[in-house]
Amino acid sequence: MDWKPASAPAKGQYISLAGGYIGKTDYDYGVAGGRVEADLDASAQFAAAWGVSLDKNLRAELAVGYRSQDIETTVRAGALSQTFDADKAQTLSL
């Protein structure tokens, strides 16, 4: 059976939508003289794009994406401890 690549889309406009789920994650790392612990809560992310296919190997696209996540980090060095609560880290991409 011969493998053939999929044909390129015809010239024209297109729309792309994507979404995802970021699971809860806990990190615990040893660093020189202490530890760094981080708790990241679960959240969702999405992206949308509009583009134009100019020919079979060239496209122009405008995309926007958004991601948000609650983060709490604790840094420990010996008897000292400091907690940073970012409440919500948000990323908007264009």
Side-chain angles (χ1 to χ4, degrees), residues 15-93:
I15 295 175
S16 171
L17 300 173
Y21 176 78
I22 306 163
K24 179 171 175 44
T25 306
D26 296 327
Y27 296 99
D28 188 357
Y29 295 107
V31 295
R35 300 201 69 70
V36 175
E37 299 170 2
D39 297 321
L40 289 76
D41 290 341
S43 68
Q45 62 185 12
F46 76 90
W50 168 82
V52 177
S53 178
L54 303 171
D55 68 26
K56 72 177 194 174
N57 294 317
L58 185 62
R59 299 186 306 179
E61 183 174 279
L62 178 62
V64 64
Y66 178 77
R67 176 179 173 172
S68 172
Q69 196 164 26
D70 290 334
I71 300 172
E72 181 180 301
T73 303
T74 302
V75 178
R76 292 189 173 91
L80 301 175
S81 178
Q82 178 67 48
T83 298
F84 304 93
D85 189 357
D87 189 32
K88 191 169 285 272
Q90 299 176 341
T91 303
L92 179 62
S93 61

